[in-house]
Amino acid sequence: VSLTSPEPPQGNWLAVILLRVSRRDFGLCLTTLLVFCLGSVLWQLNGGPPQLLLHVRYYFGQSTFLDDHGPLVPRVLPFPSKVVYNRVGKCGSRTIVLLLRILAERNQFTLISSDIHNKTRLSKHEQMDLMINISTVPQPFLYTRHVHFLNFTRFRIDEPVYINIVRDPINRFLSNYFFRRFGDWRGEENHVVRTPGMKDDERYLDINTCILESYPECSNPRLFYIIPYFCGQHPQCREPSLWALQKAKENVLEHYLLVGVLEELEDVLLLLERLLPHFFSDVLNIYKSPEYRKLGNMTGTVHKQTPSLKSLQVLYQRMKYEYDFYNFIKAQFHLTKWKFGLRTWPRSPRHHTSLQHREQQEEQSETVLEKWAEHPR
């Protein structure tokens, strides 16, 4: 009789081995998962990897994923990467905004064009809120709004680069006067809705009557319009004065990269392309393209009329600070053009006698007004 016990079937031994291996691997996986979870929690709580993981890294060598592959390459931002265009009303701002919408898509920058048009003066809290909101826009960005100059440094916030465009003050006033009443080539309805409270006797008020009889719309402080955009949010900036004029000039010199004049718009665009290439690259070609011209022609004010010579003289006297500032801007702009070697200057002035001829040629009102503005007497 054999005393040896019978060997178990070969299949049973194989099952036992596989069961033991599976339990061991399962326990190892759970342990690894637990260590990983604890390490992640400690990393987040301590703001970095726990010492245990550092020791493990040292034991197995200094190579890590970041060492082998490197961090993600940060996006290279242009300099400057923050631009604010606090656009002056009826100084070509809609033309520029149309261009910016095309440029933002082409040149890949963030364009924020505010829909707030009638709130240029802000309280201190509103100023701070707006500046903080502007500063959180993804860079590179260009922010544009009808708003008086905001001094970021006053609130210890990093200041953006400012740009702007101004226009002959009387031309700007006349464009605004008729635009509020009759709109532009996009249709009257658009702006009749904007001024629903305007009665017919006001809408069709003769421009000479408004000026010579000193209606509020044609008198100070309403005529003191361009300077506050550069003077700032101080209450004194709202009243025609030498102080506001000087403050506006100081801010232009200290805070603005470029302030152009609408009468030389192509040169303004050329300088913007050179000074801010990331934002304005190819802007002049876009501006001259037939597709853009078709859009740009829709922004012209309709039903404009030229006041009489006497009315123009009254306006000029009321806007003496505005013209002082405009001439200052024009001189600075021409100096910048000279530094960049631009030779395209405005057409040479003509004699004042052409203004007298204007009274017989009302259909050439815009041309004559420009001539008079160059040589007011």
Side-chain angles (χ1 to χ4, degrees):
V1 179
S2 176
L3 298 176
T4 59
S5 60
E7 294 182 2
Q10 188 174 358
N12 293 340
W13 281 106
L14 183 60
V16 171
I17 293 172
L18 290 176
L19 181 61
R20 289 178 179 175
V21 171
S22 298
R23 287 175 177 174
R24 184 169 56 201
D25 288 348
F26 182 68
L28 181 61
C29 289
L30 286 179
T31 304
T32 303
L33 182 60
L34 179 61
V35 171
F36 177 81
C37 293
L38 289 175
S40 298
V41 172
L42 291 174
W43 189 307
Q44 296 178 35
L45 291 176
N46 297 327
Q51 290 297 318
L52 175 62
L53 294 183
L54 292 177
H55 291 320
V56 170
R57 173 185 172 182
Y58 181 79
Y59 180 80
F60 286 103
Q62 297 298 314
S63 178
T64 65
F65 177 85
L66 290 180
D67 293 330
D68 295 336
H69 302 277
L72 295 175
V73 178
R75 184 181 182 186
V76 178
L77 295 174
F79 180 80
S81 60
K82 300 181 291 184
V83 180
V84 171
Y85 169 35
N86 64 319
R87 60 187 190 267
V88 183
K90 306 311 297 174
C91 289
S93 61
R94 286 183 299 153
T95 297
I96 301 301
V97 169
L98 282 175
L99 288 170
L100 286 172
R101 289 172 181 165
I102 300 172
L103 292 168
E105 184 175 352
R106 286 197 185 188
N107 298 335
Q108 296 185 337
F109 63 87
T110 304
L111 172 65
I112 305 296
S113 182
S114 175
D115 293 328
I116 302 173
H117 302 291
N118 299 318
K119 192 172 178 58
T120 57
R121 304 164 183 174
L122 309 176
S123 67
K124 185 176 180 179
H125 291 297
E126 289 173 333
Q127 292 177 52
M128 180 174 288
D129 288 343
L130 179 56
M131 285 186 277
I132 291 174
N133 289 337
I134 291 175
S135 300
T136 59
V137 174
Q139 299 178 36
F141 71 79
L142 191 150
Y143 179 88
T144 176
R145 173 179 167 176
H146 292 296
V147 64
H148 294 170
F149 172 74
L150 298 164
N151 192 341
F152 282 70
T153 57
R154 178 189 174 196
F155 296 92
R156 299 184 179 180
I157 301 175
D158 290 341
E159 186 174 62
V161 162
Y162 270 98
I163 60 172
N164 217 320
I165 299 176
V166 298
R167 180 183 188 180
D168 176 274
I170 289 180
N171 279 337
R172 193 220 68 81
F173 162 74
L174 294 176
S175 180
N176 182 68
Y177 183 89
F178 293 104
F179 176 76
R180 291 184 66 244
R181 287 161 170 77
F182 309 113
D184 53 29
W185 290 107
R186 293 177 299 176
E188 291 187 18
E189 307 82 22
N190 183 14
H191 300 286
V192 170
V193 171
R194 179 176 288 184
T195 54
M198 184 179 288
K199 299 179 181 179
D200 284 348
D201 57 347
E202 182 183 359
R203 192 175 302 279
Y204 296 99
L205 176 65
D206 179 72
I207 183 67
N208 293 300
T209 301
C210 183
I211 296 169
L212 298 178
E213 296 187 13
S214 299
Y215 279 66
E217 187 176 359
C218 301
S219 306
N220 279 315
R222 297 274 190 91
L223 296 179
F224 192 70
Y225 184 86
I226 298 176
I227 288 175
Y229 273 87
F230 299 88
C231 179
Q233 298 289 333
H234 194 283
Q236 284 185 252
C237 290
R238 306 170 189 177
E239 298 296 329
S241 67
L242 185 60
W243 182 91
L245 170 64
Q246 291 303 120
K247 187 63 178 177
K249 291 180 179 180
E250 290 173 10
N251 285 338
V252 168
L253 295 175
E254 294 178 10
H255 302 283
Y256 282 79
L257 179 66
L258 180 71
V259 181
V261 291
L262 184 63
E263 292 80 2
E264 301 171 52
L265 181 58
E266 289 193 9
D267 288 343
V268 175
L269 298 178
L270 185 58
L271 285 178
L272 286 172
E273 186 171 7
R274 295 190 182 185
L275 292 168
L276 298 169
H278 182 82
F279 297 90
F280 289 93
S281 177
D282 206 34
V283 65
L284 201 54
N285 289 331
I286 297 172
Y287 176 70
K288 291 181 177 181
S289 67
E291 296 80 10
Y292 175 80
R293 289 290 186 181
K294 193 176 297 183
L295 291 173
N297 288 338
M298 301 300 290
T299 63
T301 302
V302 297
H303 302 316
K304 290 172 68 175
Q305 301 173 17
T306 301
S308 67
L309 175 60
K310 183 178 181 181
S311 297
L312 289 174
Q313 292 172 332
V314 170
L315 275 181
Y316 183 79
Q317 291 301 319
R318 291 175 181 171
M319 304 173 81
K320 61 178 182 179
Y321 290 126
E322 294 274 281
Y323 270 99
D324 189 315
F325 182 73
Y326 173 72
N327 291 330
F328 164 79
I329 292 297
K330 194 156 59 169
Q332 292 295 317
F333 179 66
H334 288 167
L335 178 61
T336 304
K337 286 172 59 174
W338 175 79
K339 289 179 179 178
F340 278 86
L342 298 185
R343 304 301 180 190
T344 51
W345 297 88
R347 60 181 180 273
S348 57
R350 302 183 184 179
H351 295 295
H352 179 69
T353 53
S354 61
L355 213 220
Q356 298 172 350
H357 187 57
R358 183 207 58 78
E359 293 178 314
Q360 288 122 19
Q361 297 183 334
E362 288 292 334
E363 68 277 4
Q364 299 178 356
S365 59
E366 280 296 321
T367 302
V368 176
L369 179 57
E370 290 173 3
K371 296 174 187 175
W372 179 87
E374 291 173 355
H375 292 280
R377 292 185 182 177

